[in-house]
Amino acid sequence: MTLHATVDRVTDRIRERSAKTRSDYQTKIARAAEDGPRRAHLSCGNQAHAYAAMPDKDDFAAARKPNVGIITAYNDMLSAHQPYERYPDLIRRAAHAAGATAQVAGGVPAMCDGVTQGRAGMELSLFSRDVIALASGVALSHDTFDSALYLGVCDKIVPGLVIAAATFGHIPAVFIPAGPMPSGLPNDEKSKVRQQFAAGEVGREALMAAEMASYHSPGTCTFYGTANSNQMLMEFMGLHLPGSSFVNPNTPLREALTTAAVTRAAAITRLGNDYLPAGDVLDERAFVNGIVGLMATGGSTNLIIHLPAMARAAGVLLDIEDFHDLSECVPLMARVYPNGLADVNHFHASGGLGFMIGQLIEAGLLHPDVKTIAGGGLDLYAQEPKLHDGQVHWVEGARASLNDKILRPASDPFAATGGLKQLDGNLGRGVIKVSAVAPERHVIEAPARVFSDQEEVKAAFKRGEFTQDTIVVVRFQGPRANGMPELHSLTPTLAVLQDRGLRVALVTDGRMSGASGKVPAAIHVSPEAANGGPLARLRDGDLLRLDATRGVLECLSEDFDARENASFDPARSAEGMGRELFAAFRAHVGPATEGAAVVV
């Protein structure tokens, strides 16, 4: 297998861009590891405090057993994280069987964008990623763990945990998924009812019935949004065990995979002969592999923000040009809602990530020679787990797709590219995901309607104001303005306009959900309007051009560059629903193109 020229070139570009930061990072984690297992340096009093509640504390104090720290995002309000309630007991039993011990080091917050969508709480969502990293850092600061298990699934949780794992890069890290809920009401049927409700064709009772039939049990939501994109990413980056991402909760295989992950975490500590610090796994090749997986699966645009922040924590510097260039050479191999009708359970049954990784390695589109927590290179991830006498065994994964309407080989994909485009022009830099957008809508030229709040868009829709082709601009939605909330609740409204025959698009310095699809959306536009970005100069009626084929985002009005910026009122997002607590975050957050981060 010869590595694809573009993958090789992008990897070299990232390596050169990151030469100093990566070198400094590697020096830092080597220094942290050089004096051996950390708890050997704790005083007797320190250790007594740490082990006082452990049932086997006397044995632990006398023996050199690995101690595994658990960072958990458990709460029972979120279906994706509810299964983690049982994990600590299971992990402790598995650790004991492996000659180790395990403790819950700390919990991290886990909020749900599905609950806060369109609400004030969404303005805290992106910042919760950095809070998760901080909370994990507090948990690991006790300096008493030889490896760490990270329990998290959804949108900001996994990126925050990866930032922490990279920051504590001298500690081995194993990520353990919870799995998707079984299939419920098909996602396209749920989406249809949402659009009918937005158009006033059905009432709230019908909408609620559809939503409850779709989100119906423990596990991750089954559409391919950010949560399931995260799970894919952890497998492509070698932080999950092979084939573990999309196994349903509360099944024998799910439990056996968790046990195997604990056994592996106990085996790769500094106390043994297979020491694997997290920082060695998280190199530039792992992040390139993650981006390739994102493009091949048509994954969430939120990862275009999260991956640069995650990588920066490991000394690796990513740019949106890296995403664009890799998208141009990586074929779209999957059709999972919103990019198709199937859900992640159907995708997994069709051959799933094992088939896809094997195909991409054969095509030279992945780095196979990376370090992974499975103990070898990425080729191990072309296998799939099977249960035999209660134990997990890995066998050769699917060599052919079991449903070519959902999953196709790299040689016969759904599309030749991953569908992610970089946009540039006099409105700033941004991105657009076109994998679910009809080709005839890849170029939209239309007058602008400019709003400063998504609720204003919905109100204008209800008043019947959208009667012609329109590019809807929602500005002052960036991280400094209001925490960069997702604008996914606009999707049904815009989809209704598009279905009425109008050519519509969205331009925003905010985010759209990984569940957004068929309406063209230029997102993450930077610099953001609240920080002097050009979106602040737009007016109603300006002729805009969103051209995904050429990567252009521009205002065609002749006097555009000479205008003054519209004023931004920070008081709109300064208080209520905890916004006060995040004022320092809004004041110091970086641009979306660099991960919209505060802590890295």
Side-chain angles (χ1 to χ4, degrees):
M1 184 277 297
T2 301
L3 194 64
H4 191 285
T6 300
V7 176
D8 196 19
R9 174 174 56 82
V10 171
T11 305
D12 281 345
R13 182 172 69 202
I14 295 170
R15 190 178 290 120
E16 291 171 9
R17 186 192 301 137
S18 312
K20 185 179 187 309
T21 51
R22 179 65 180 173
S23 176
D24 290 347
Y25 171 79
Q26 290 175 306
T27 298
K28 179 187 76 171
I29 65 170
R31 187 165 56 244
E34 66 187 3
D35 52 358
R38 305 304 296 172
R39 60 197 164 76
H41 304 285
L42 297 177
S43 72
C44 293
N46 295 148
Q47 293 192 55
H49 279 289
Y51 313 141
M54 297 178 71
D56 52 354
K57 56 182 176 291
D58 294 334
D59 180 44
F60 183 81
R64 283 173 57 83
K65 289 184 176 181
N67 189 29
V68 180
I70 305 166
I71 308 292
T72 177
Y74 162 72
N75 65 51
D76 64 6
M77 189 272 291
L78 302 187
S79 63
H81 293 89
Q82 187 274 343
Y84 285 135
E85 182 175 13
R86 296 176 50 249
Y87 276 43
D89 285 341
L90 172 61
I91 289 169
R92 283 188 280 264
R93 292 196 303 270
H96 181 77
T101 57
Q103 296 174 288
V104 174
V108 302
M111 67 182 294
C112 178
D113 290 358
V115 176
T116 59
Q117 200 67 247
R119 307 292 298 168
M122 176 56 80
E123 295 184 15
L124 311 187
S125 174
L126 181 57
F127 290 144
S128 76
R129 179 195 65 193
D130 292 48
V131 173
I132 289 160
L134 291 169
S136 301
V138 171
L140 294 172
S141 69
H142 293 96
D143 216 12
T144 188
F145 302 109
D146 300 296
S147 63
L149 296 172
Y150 294 90
L151 313 184
V153 175
C154 288
D155 297 26
K156 316 307 170 297
I157 294 88
V158 167
L161 294 175
V162 171
I163 290 171
T167 303
F168 286 79
H170 61 290
I171 300 176
V174 175
F175 282 64
I176 302 182
M181 66 177 69
S183 302
L185 180 73
N187 285 294
D188 60 321
E189 293 185 27
K190 172 196 68 181
S191 179
K192 181 180 179 180
V193 175
R194 284 180 174 178
Q195 288 185 219
Q196 289 173 329
F197 179 77
E201 297 171 4
V202 300
R204 187 167 295 277
E205 184 175 337
L207 177 65
M208 191 64 184
E211 298 287 0
M212 293 295 288
S214 181
Y215 309 117
H216 61 92
S217 73
T220 315
C221 306
T222 60
F223 61 81
Y224 194 54
T226 309
N228 287 316
S229 296
N230 282 339
Q231 302 311 291
M232 171 281 301
L233 194 71
M234 293 300 91
E235 200 151 328
F236 268 78
M237 293 179 66
L239 290 169
H240 277 176
L241 287 178
S244 63
S245 296
F246 298 131
V247 175
N248 299 126
N250 304 317
T251 60
L253 180 57
R254 175 83 280 157
E255 184 166 315
L257 282 164
T258 300
T259 298
V262 178
T263 303
R264 189 63 189 151
I268 58 176
T269 75
R270 190 67 181 266
L271 292 168
N273 297 318
D274 200 13
Y275 177 50
L276 182 61
D280 283 2
V281 176
L282 293 168
D283 67 6
E284 65 282 345
R285 297 169 301 168
F287 285 103
V288 167
N289 285 348
I291 296 172
V292 169
L294 188 68
M295 300 309 160
T297 57
S300 170
T301 55
N302 280 328
L303 272 301
I304 304 164
I305 291 178
H306 296 319
L307 274 162
M310 294 154 62
R312 188 176 293 271
V316 177
L317 304 181
L318 301 179
D319 187 86
I320 58 174
E321 68 172 344
D322 304 322
F323 292 83
H324 174 89
D325 289 355
L326 290 171
S327 178
E328 288 297 292
C329 75
V330 174
L332 179 66
M333 298 169 59
R335 286 287 190 198
V336 187
Y337 188 85
N339 301 328
L341 298 181
D343 67 24
V344 294
N345 292 308
H346 306 138
F347 168 77
H348 185 64
S350 298
L353 297 180
F355 169 76
M356 182 172 280
I357 289 173
Q359 285 282 307
L360 290 167
I361 289 175
E362 288 181 14
L365 292 167
L366 288 170
H367 291 279
D369 55 337
V370 290
K371 293 183 178 180
T372 72
I373 61 109
L378 200 63
D379 58 309
L380 294 177
Y381 289 73
Q383 301 179 27
E384 62 177 306
K386 296 291 185 181
L387 201 57
H388 181 68
D389 293 335
Q391 301 292 318
V392 175
H393 299 273
W394 276 268
V395 301
E396 183 180 65
R399 303 297 294 170
S401 170
L402 301 180
N403 188 332
D404 64 7
K405 293 182 175 61
I406 300 171
L407 185 60
R408 290 186 181 175
S411 59
D412 183 27
F414 291 102
T417 71
L420 193 283
K421 302 284 187 177
Q422 178 182 207
L423 298 171
D424 207 346
N426 64 1
L427 291 179
R429 295 180 82 199
V431 294
I432 182 171
K433 176 182 173 184
V434 297
S435 52
V437 177
E440 62 271 19
R441 297 184 182 275
H442 288 188
V443 179
I444 302 289
E445 187 173 299
R449 280 293 309 273
V450 183
F451 303 89
S452 297
D453 183 90
Q454 58 182 317
E455 294 305 316
E456 296 173 0
V457 182
K458 297 175 189 176
F461 172 79
K462 289 178 180 178
R463 292 192 298 266
E465 295 180 6
F466 297 108
T467 59
Q468 63 178 0
D469 295 350
T470 306
I471 294 183
V472 175
V473 177
V474 188
R475 64 190 179 192
F476 301 125
Q477 303 299 306
R480 281 183 176 263
N482 61 355
M484 205 178 186
E486 283 185 352
L487 305 180
H488 178 52
S489 65
L490 291 179
T491 299
T493 299
L494 296 174
V496 167
L497 294 176
Q498 184 168 278
D499 289 347
R500 289 176 180 172
L502 299 181
R503 295 180 63 77
V504 295
L506 174 71
V507 173
T508 182
D509 48 10
R511 296 184 292 126
M512 286 294 280
S513 167
S516 303
K518 66 181 183 179
V519 177
I523 58 177
H524 311 171
V525 177
S526 185
E528 62 173 289
N531 201 33
L535 292 187
R537 297 200 296 273
L538 285 175
R539 300 172 184 164
D540 283 348
D542 280 336
L543 185 62
L544 306 186
R545 184 176 179 83
L546 194 173
D547 186 341
T549 60
R550 294 172 48 239
V552 172
L553 179 64
E554 58 187 352
C555 175
L556 303 178
S557 298
E558 292 183 359
D559 65 336
F560 177 69
D561 291 336
R563 296 177 189 169
E564 292 185 1
N565 287 358
S567 61
F568 167 64
D569 180 11
R572 295 183 60 168
S573 294
E575 61 183 39
M577 200 56 69
R579 293 182 180 105
E580 302 91 336
L581 301 174
F582 289 82
F585 282 61
R586 292 191 296 273
H588 296 96
V589 66
T593 49
E594 296 178 11
V598 178
V599 299
V600 291

